[in-house]
Amino acid sequence: QVQLVESGGGSVQAGGSLRLSCAASGYSYGTGCMTWFRQAPGKEREGVAAIYTSGTFWHTDSVRGRFTISRDNAKSTVYLQMNKLKPEDTAIYYCAYKGRYCTDGSWSAASGYEYWGQGTQVTVSS
């Protein structure tokens, strides 16, 4: 059984930083696509950043240059370093996994992911 456990959320002021962690277990870590999504109240779930087995990564336009996805294979953990946070970054952040490749056109489609964490709240105040 694949399990994903997020941590690191919290409340910060605009301009601050947070680092989210997603600890994975129950599958052959290192294969497939690990992705961070977020969902704000009243909005659809949005792909934020993804990293594939090969190390290739993607970031959505609104966070590029501020957020960075990375992975530590020894710890089976994926991170999302979030800098220069803005109030519009406020959302519940989820990590998700699929045991298949990511592509430019597929990494941000939530329907393609089989496993999800429980989410962690990020609140950015102005």
Side-chain angles (χ1 to χ4, degrees):
Q1 181 70 19
V2 175
Q3 289 190 323
L4 304 174
V5 179
E6 302 102 333
S7 61
S11 297
V12 296
Q13 291 191 327
S17 298
L18 286 172
R19 188 177 79 158
L20 305 183
S21 300
C22 175
S25 63
Y27 69 101
S28 178
Y29 180 80
T31 61
C33 189
M34 291 288 289
T35 300
W36 286 99
F37 287 85
R38 66 185 179 186
Q39 189 165 21
K43 295 189 177 181
E44 292 187 355
R45 196 163 293 192
E46 172 191 28
V48 177
I51 189 163
Y52 182 50
T53 306
S54 63
T56 303
F57 56 85
W58 296 262
H59 297 85
T60 194
D61 288 347
S62 62
V63 308
R64 192 172 292 117
R66 300 188 298 122
F67 293 10
T68 303
I69 192 169
S70 63
R71 62 194 299 165
D72 184 335
N73 291 339
K75 296 182 179 180
S76 300
T77 299
V78 173
Y79 303 98
L80 186 68
Q81 178 66 43
M82 305 187 295
N83 299 327
K84 300 179 182 179
L85 282 159
K86 304 176 180 180
E88 51 263 44
D89 295 319
T90 295
I92 299 175
Y93 284 71
Y94 301 89
C95 66
Y97 166 76
K98 60 179 178 180
R100 300 182 300 282
Y101 51 84
C102 289
T103 65
D104 288 349
S106 72
W107 72 266
S108 60
S111 60
Y113 289 80
E114 298 123 343
Y115 303 100
W116 292 82
Q118 81 287 353
T120 186
Q121 176 71 48
V122 171
T123 303
V124 185
S125 58
S126 58

